[in-house]
Amino acid sequence: MEIQGKIIAALDVKTGVSARGEWKVQEFVLETLDGQFSRKMVFSVFGEDRLQRFNIQVGQDVNVSFDIDAREYNGRWFNSIRAFDVRPVSQVAAVPGAPTPPPFAAAPMGAPQAAPMQPGQPMQPGQPIPPAQPGGAPYGAPMGDSADDLPF
């Protein structure tokens, strides 16, 4: 999975020793803007080599590739969001082969508009979706009182 946002906090590095040797992990808080509302997510980067390679800084706009996993401990479940790649947004756009969003092509001012659809007419590719009739009835539905008064 991938998510893009701004790093708003870098938590303290945690270290330890396991059967495989010494390890390091650091957690970061990412803030995204989802419509009007911002959302925050904590993700961890495991391994000193990744911490150095990613070089994550507070205030940086990044694209984070991550895995989500859950584990059970004493009857409770805990989520783990672990990043396996973190790139500055400017580098994401420059990567060859990376998907780029399609450009937005608006019709020029004064361009002819498509003719309104007639009931029962199939939609053509590129044709705008017709507006609903007053009262919320779908296009082509008869106007007037319906037997059940449901809005759909």
Side-chain angles (χ1 to χ4, degrees), residues 124-140:
Q124 300 299 320
Q127 185 176 12
I129 298 173
Q133 292 181 1
Y139 187 80

Side-chain angles (χ1 to χ4, degrees), residues 130-149:
Q133 292 181 1
Y139 187 80
M143 292 295 293
D145 294 334
S146 65
D148 58 10
D149 288 334

Side-chain angles (χ1 to χ4, degrees), residues 3-6 30-40:
I3 192 165
Q4 185 173 323
K6 180 181 289 253
L30 179 87
E31 183 175 41
T32 66
L33 187 60
D34 184 21
Q36 274 184 303
F37 305 101
S38 65
R39 305 241 184 233
K40 295 175 182 74

